[in-house]
Amino acid sequence: MTSFELVRDLPGALADRSAAWEYIRGFAEAWSTPLAAGDGTPETELAAAEEALGIRLPAALREAYTLFGRRFDLHSNMHHLLSPGEFYMDDRKEALVFREENQGAASWGVLLADLDQADPPVRTRPDLADKEAERWEGWLDAFSISCIEIVLTESVLAEDPLCDSGDYEDGDELARRFTRLPFPAYPGGEAAFYTGPGVLVWDTGGWLSVRARDEETLDRFRDDFPADWLNG
């Protein structure tokens, strides 16, 4: 494949879901382990989920799972991307749930009314003490875009010698020294991805999670951005 670049290749991936899958493939090859034929979910599992739930899965969901459904290092280091056999309807029968926050604080899904779209929007629903107050809220405008977000965030949250997290408040310094990925704003607008030579950084309002290409680069990043690093 041609050379992969986090920033250069992202706008096209956000505009076209085929390009989104190539972006994920390129990221895996450049920053982790290349995708292989056995990394996708078998068609039989997707078909079984459809039959059990009585629905037709959106094309983008099927394509994503076929591409990297069994690559847990790309999608389930912190939060849990459900296998097709774990898909379920929420208690109000409003959405198909495909991902859960690691402590049960939220879930991600596609509204049943949107399942007929090839690349439908993804919603999130918080787990609140007042269940009546829970609503499916906007997250990202397409399932393929959500998959890019999942791969990027889960890659920096891995329990890996090349990853670390820490509290760092000087967001201006981070923005000055690194390039922000042109990724759509999250609800609330705090989270952002940055990249520099050999590093990918996720800033969630002062809490940094970073993945480096090698340990030397990670050590240099921690020296340049002194924080209470969890692993450093």
Side-chain angles (χ1 to χ4, degrees):
M1 91 180 311
T2 58
S3 61
F4 171 78
E5 292 186 14
L6 278 166
V7 176
R8 181 200 66 194
D9 297 341
L10 185 56
L14 298 175
D16 176 80
R17 77 175 193 270
S18 294
W21 310 144
E22 287 306 307
Y23 189 89
I24 290 171
R25 189 182 296 278
F27 179 85
E29 182 173 339
W31 288 82
S32 181
T33 302
L35 285 163
D39 290 340
T41 302
E43 167 63 27
T44 53
E45 291 187 24
L46 295 165
E50 289 181 325
E51 183 175 357
L53 295 168
I55 60 169
R56 180 68 178 172
L57 297 172
L61 185 151
R62 299 180 69 90
E63 292 165 1
Y65 273 76
T66 300
L67 178 65
F68 69 101
R70 290 187 169 179
R71 278 292 298 273
F72 302 102
D73 62 307
L74 293 178
H75 61 61
S76 294
N77 292 311
M78 177 66 71
H79 308 307
H80 180 47
L81 189 73
L82 303 181
S83 69
E86 297 172 321
F87 292 164
Y88 64 93
M89 306 293 187
D90 71 300
D91 57 333
R92 298 175 186 166
K93 300 297 188 289
E94 293 176 337
L96 173 70
V97 180
F98 68 89
R99 189 182 186 218
E100 294 180 336
E101 198 268 345
N102 69 318
Q103 295 181 324
S107 55
W108 289 265
V110 175
L111 295 181
L112 300 188
D114 293 335
L115 287 179
D116 61 342
Q117 299 182 38
D119 198 2
V122 168
R123 312 276 181 158
T124 185
R125 178 177 168 178
D127 181 30
L128 304 176
D130 181 4
K131 297 302 178 185
E132 293 300 318
E134 294 182 4
R135 298 288 185 274
W136 284 102
E137 303 166 356
W139 183 250
L140 290 165
D141 289 340
F143 190 88
S144 59
I145 296 175
S146 184
C147 287
I148 294 173
E149 187 271 342
I150 288 170
V151 168
L152 293 179
T153 56
E154 294 295 325
S155 72
V156 300
L157 295 172
E159 292 186 9
D160 188 296
L162 299 181
C163 297
D164 207 349
S165 296
D167 195 3
Y168 185 81
E169 298 297 337
D170 193 353
D172 291 340
E173 177 69 5
L174 183 69
R176 185 181 68 82
R177 297 181 58 180
F178 290 88
T179 301
R180 181 168 179 168
L181 272 64
F183 197 81
Y186 287 79
E190 289 188 346
F193 297 102
Y194 292 89
T195 189
V199 295
L200 171 64
V201 186
W202 188 39
D203 179 9
T204 54
W207 183 262
L208 302 186
S209 297
V210 57
R211 182 180 189 92
R213 293 282 186 89
D214 55 63
E215 293 187 37
E216 181 181 357
T217 302
L218 179 59
D219 287 340
R220 185 163 56 248
F221 180 88
R222 288 185 291 216
D223 289 341
D224 290 344
F225 292 86
D228 187 15
W229 294 106
L230 297 181
N231 304 324

